[in-house]
Amino acid sequence: MKKILELLSEEMGKAFETAGYDAALGRVTISNRPDLCEYQCNGAMAGAKQYKKAPIAIASDVAEQLKGSRAFSEVQAVAPGFLNLKISEKYLLEIIETMASEPKFGLEQPEKKKKIIIDYGGANVAKPLHVGHIRSAVIGESIKRICRYAGHEVIGDVHLGDWGLQMGLVITGVQDRQPDLVYFDEKYQGEYPKEAPFTISELEEIYPAASAKSKEDPEYKARAMEATFKLQSGVRGYRALWKHILNVSVEDLRKNYGSLNVEFDLWKGESDVHDLIPEMVTYMKDNGYAHISEGALVVDVKEETDTKEIPPCMILKSDGASLYNTTDLATIMERMRLYHPDQIIYVVDKRQDLYFEQVFRCARKTKLVEPETELKFLGFGTMNGSDGKPFKTRDGGVMRLENLIRETKDEMYKKIREGRQMSEEEARQVAEQVAVSALKYGDLSNQASKDYIFDIDRFTSFEGDTGPYILYTIVRIKSILSKFKEQGGSLEGLKLLPAGNESEKALEMELVQFNTMMQAAAEETAPHKVCAYIYDLANAFNRFYHETKILGEEDVTRKESLLALLVLTRDVLKTCIDVLGFNAPDKM
Ligand code: ARG
């Protein structure tokens, strides 16, 4: 269905036309003076020059045409030439009814359905997930869901960091602890054990220790590089050990991502494109894209219009080793072959923007992608602590995602137990759901590119612009509806009536913004727009709730109409939190 402002603009355009003016002047916008009107049109001001007339004269002509209009209940021409508008309750009802009956509340399918790959998560194998990865996972998941809801085909890929020096460091660390493992015996020909020789907690100790040691001890670092090289060149024992590291780590990652409702379609990693690299290198050399500079193989990517220096994109180091660039480019090549996407979106820390600029330019220049393939870098800002510096634990360490989730759950549990009649077990379950909303909404309600302050007290509050407030609103609606059913009522076939009071009308006016908002959120890959919308919607609902008798309403048809509005509000809110990646409990 058309968007509300399109519908109103059409009505207004007709009035301009019958009054003898250009219909295009009839553009209606949401009022910026809600104290005076609901919508406005400034077309008379814009047309003054063209028609050599005072704007107020044009506005009055147009207002005259709109007497008895079905769309507007009030049209006022005010000096110097504004048209202040109120929508008629009946017309608003028509739109609400269409919205309620159409799939996806009237959100139109895109003209061209795109195939989109979203590269997000980006966890590094064998390194614990830290809060730096939370943003990528949370934002990427939401963008995936929004674009899917908007009608596109979307593939989410975690793109694990599973192939670099960190793998060599872990292997070296394992070797120091257990030098006699069969994986290190180069003469061994048999099958390797099915069981991994370490647990996830051991693995998580090994990496930081090895990494620290390599920084102090050049010899150790050389060993780790050697191990990386052996792994990448296919030494059997190293590959087998690496597989164990990958499996143990991925199992843990699945659990952690799962607790945040983050689900990937593909669990691919840098290692998956290793075998494509030689082919890609040959292709780049043969076509004259890449050349040797100081021993390394590079592709120049600077452009004349650059205002800052964009260094060449390095494909192979002078020792022939591949880099982060190399795997990213080979991944683009693979994605084009396997999926042929129209767009690839990278949800990565914004400090990697120059890096991605190089990679994208290189991919274009070397024609790894087609001219129309869109490569999009969606850089996000840092999550800071209350001191405005990157978020740390109390003792100054890097906060692990698992602990962050646990702390938020504990905080939520405390709040839920306070003054609520709920068993301990139920409170735990509810706390879990609400905590996820607190974390995710706290993140997503900010524009992704901005830094934000992680404030657990604010995020877990039931009041204000928070996840728990939104859930609380949904739970409130659910409980009214179930009370109605307990009293023997049925939610089938409820009929809507025109809004009966101001706050009911205001709620409807929020609801009809849904398709406008969702389309913008998808086009601009902007989950914060969904958050802003549901915050306004929840506020409108709560005001309506406080000002309107619902279950106590004696007029049956009116009561049914109010309940129908509740159902629609609940469904819209639920759809929105679903694309944000969290759910509402039944009670809280
Ligand atoms: N593993 C990387 C990191 O932790 C993020 C990967 C981002 N995606 C990509 N295609 N480079 O920084």
Side-chain angles (χ1 to χ4, degrees):
M1 75 187 251
K2 287 191 180 149
K3 300 186 197 105
I4 175 81
L5 293 180
E6 286 169 355
L7 293 165
L8 295 179
S9 299
E10 264 173 26
E11 293 294 320
M12 185 54 79
K14 276 188 240 157
F16 268 82
E17 207 163 24
T18 18
Y21 307 102
D22 184 359
L25 292 171
R27 204 170 69 84
V28 172
T29 56
I30 289 183
S31 161
N32 52 24
R33 285 292 303 274
D35 52 325
L36 297 179
C37 56
E38 295 162 353
Y39 300 93
Q40 66 187 57
C41 171
N42 299 347
M45 317 278 281
K49 223 173 158 188
Q50 186 183 343
Y51 295 101
K52 299 201 182 61
K53 255 192 183 175
I56 188 71
I58 301 178
S60 305
D61 288 350
V62 173
E64 193 60 32
Q65 299 301 324
L66 285 165
K67 281 204 172 125
S69 145
R70 65 181 195 119
F72 301 106
S73 58
E74 235 182 87
V75 179
Q76 274 183 321
V78 293
F82 297 115
L83 282 156
N84 287 354
L85 311 165
K86 284 195 177 159
I87 190 170
S88 90
E89 279 78 5
K90 261 175 109 174
Y91 187 67
L92 184 57
L93 175 67
E94 271 176 43
I95 301 174
I96 286 275
E97 279 174 333
T98 316
M99 172 183 177
S101 67
E102 286 202 4
K104 296 184 179 176
F105 312 105
L107 175 69
E108 279 180 15
Q109 290 295 102
E111 265 164 48
K112 188 185 168 292
K113 184 173 165 157
K114 284 194 272 187
K115 188 189 265 190
I116 306 172
I117 295 187
I118 305 192
D119 181 313
Y120 70 109
N124 298 315
V125 162
K127 292 197 206 172
L129 268 184
H130 60 77
V131 292
H133 289 111
I134 190 181
R135 296 214 70 193
S136 178
V138 167
I139 298 167
E141 180 70 20
S142 176
I143 290 173
K144 181 185 79 182
R145 292 175 183 220
I146 291 172
C147 293
R148 225 172 242 173
Y149 187 81
H152 300 291
E153 181 185 345
V154 193
I155 305 170
D157 182 7
V158 65
H159 197 73
L160 295 174
D162 62 356
W163 206 232
L165 179 62
Q166 94 246 25
M167 301 314 306
L169 283 164
V170 176
I171 293 175
T172 310
V174 173
Q175 188 172 29
D176 280 0
R177 290 175 171 221
Q178 306 178 67
D180 299 330
L181 285 178
V182 59
Y183 306 93
F184 303 112
D185 178 357
E186 287 182 16
K187 288 198 261 340
Y188 184 75
Q189 297 283 330
E191 280 205 15
Y192 291 105
K194 293 220 162 26
E195 282 291 304
F198 35 68
T199 62
I200 183 69
S201 8
E202 284 163 337
L203 211 50
E204 287 180 351
E205 276 170 32
I206 295 171
Y207 173 76
S211 165
K213 195 160 173 194
S214 79
K215 285 192 186 115
E216 284 155 17
D217 182 349
E219 200 190 319
Y220 192 83
K221 179 153 188 199
R223 276 181 62 207
M225 283 167 73
E226 168 80 13
T228 313
F229 180 75
K230 279 187 176 169
L231 166 70
Q232 297 192 346
S233 42
V235 172
R236 258 184 92 237
Y238 282 63
R239 285 281 172 111
L241 188 60
W242 168 80
K243 252 300 158 290
H244 282 311
I245 301 172
L246 194 65
N247 289 341
V248 170
S249 183
V250 164
E251 190 188 314
D252 185 60
L253 284 171
R254 279 186 197 273
K255 199 180 75 204
N256 272 299
Y257 282 133
S259 67
L260 283 175
N261 303 337
V262 172
E263 299 140 11
F264 298 96
D265 304 295
L266 300 177
W267 281 83
K268 290 191 168 248
E270 296 171 348
S271 66
D272 282 289
V273 294
H274 179 73
D275 295 341
L276 281 180
I277 293 173
E279 185 190 335
M280 183 179 81
V281 166
T282 313
Y283 163 81
M284 287 183 175
K285 280 187 190 159
D286 288 356
N287 286 282
Y289 297 128
H291 63 94
I292 304 287
S293 162
E294 295 168 35
L297 185 71
V298 302
V299 173
D300 285 327
V301 294
K302 62 172 190 285
E303 284 165 13
E304 269 175 25
T305 49
D306 287 344
T307 47
K308 62 177 182 213
E309 168 94 17
I310 308 280
C313 191
M314 199 188 283
I315 309 295
L316 292 177
K317 288 202 272 196
S318 51
D319 62 2
S322 56
L323 310 94
Y324 190 39
N325 291 324
T326 327
T327 47
D328 259 322
L329 287 161
T331 304
I332 292 179
M333 188 163 121
E334 188 195 40
R335 285 175 177 162
M336 290 308 285
R337 280 187 189 170
L338 297 182
Y339 308 104
H340 208 91
D342 300 295
Q343 187 183 35
I344 310 179
I345 303 177
Y346 294 81
V347 185
V348 186
D349 192 312
K350 74 176 173 202
R351 285 169 291 193
Q352 293 190 28
D353 65 345
L354 174 64
Y355 165 77
F356 276 99
E357 180 67 36
Q358 286 176 298
V359 169
F360 292 174
R361 284 187 184 191
C362 184
R364 288 214 178 283
K365 182 168 173 187
T366 61
K367 303 199 165 60
L368 289 184
V369 293
E370 280 163 28
E372 57 278 6
T373 315
E374 214 185 311
L375 299 170
K376 182 176 171 122
F377 175 66
L378 206 144
F380 53 80
T382 311
M383 173 168 144
N384 289 325
S386 44
D387 57 357
K389 301 212 182 87
F391 193 82
K392 291 258 158 53
T393 54
R394 266 180 228 111
D395 54 22
V398 179
M399 173 66 106
R400 293 181 37 183
L401 179 61
E402 223 177 315
N403 299 344
L404 183 75
I405 297 174
R406 182 158 9 87
E407 281 190 17
T408 314
K409 276 184 197 164
D410 289 347
E411 186 62 32
M412 225 49 254
Y413 176 74
K414 264 198 283 173
K415 289 199 175 160
I416 285 174
R417 284 288 274 191
E418 272 166 29
R420 277 185 185 71
Q421 299 260 333
M422 224 184 245
S423 73
E424 189 180 327
E425 198 193 310
E426 195 178 2
R428 285 256 171 242
Q429 262 178 13
V430 171
E432 220 171 295
Q433 263 180 330
V434 186
V436 172
S437 82
L439 279 175
K440 288 191 147 185
Y441 191 96
D443 190 304
L444 294 170
S445 52
N446 304 284
Q447 203 176 319
S449 60
K450 301 229 165 87
D451 296 349
Y452 77 100
I453 291 181
F454 182 85
D455 180 346
I456 195 164
D457 283 335
R458 191 168 76 74
F459 290 2
T460 58
S461 165
F462 289 101
E463 277 149 46
D465 191 6
T466 70
Y469 170 68
I470 303 294
L471 295 193
Y472 193 72
T473 307
I474 298 177
V475 168
R476 170 172 274 168
I477 302 177
K478 282 189 182 180
S479 93
I480 303 171
L481 294 175
S482 49
K483 215 179 259 161
F484 173 67
K485 284 201 251 171
E486 274 163 30
Q487 295 167 355
S490 158
L491 295 176
E492 298 299 312
L494 299 176
K495 243 190 95 40
L496 279 154
L497 299 174
N501 65 34
E502 224 16 74
S503 65
E504 188 180 342
K505 185 178 187 191
L507 173 60
E508 293 186 353
M509 281 169 50
E510 284 300 336
L511 282 167
V512 298
Q513 285 295 329
F514 176 82
N515 60 355
T516 307
M517 174 288 291
M518 196 55 98
Q519 192 187 334
E523 280 170 4
E524 296 162 38
T525 52
H528 71 276
K529 298 215 155 171
V530 182
C531 294
Y533 172 73
I534 52 177
Y535 181 51
D536 288 344
L537 182 58
N539 282 336
F541 173 79
N542 285 313
R543 187 161 79 87
F544 157 78
Y545 170 78
H546 288 297
E547 291 176 10
T548 315
K549 221 171 17 167
I550 301 172
L551 291 179
E553 172 59 54
E554 276 150 26
D555 179 341
V556 180
T557 48
R558 165 115 180 103
K559 179 169 164 181
E560 287 193 354
S561 162
L562 294 171
L563 288 160
L565 197 56
L566 254 61
V567 171
L568 182 61
T569 307
R570 175 200 64 188
D571 293 348
V572 168
L573 284 171
K574 268 170 72 174
T575 300
C576 290
I577 63 169
D578 185 56
V579 298
L580 293 175
F582 55 88
N583 308 307
D586 289 324
K587 273 207 259 176
M588 70 188 257

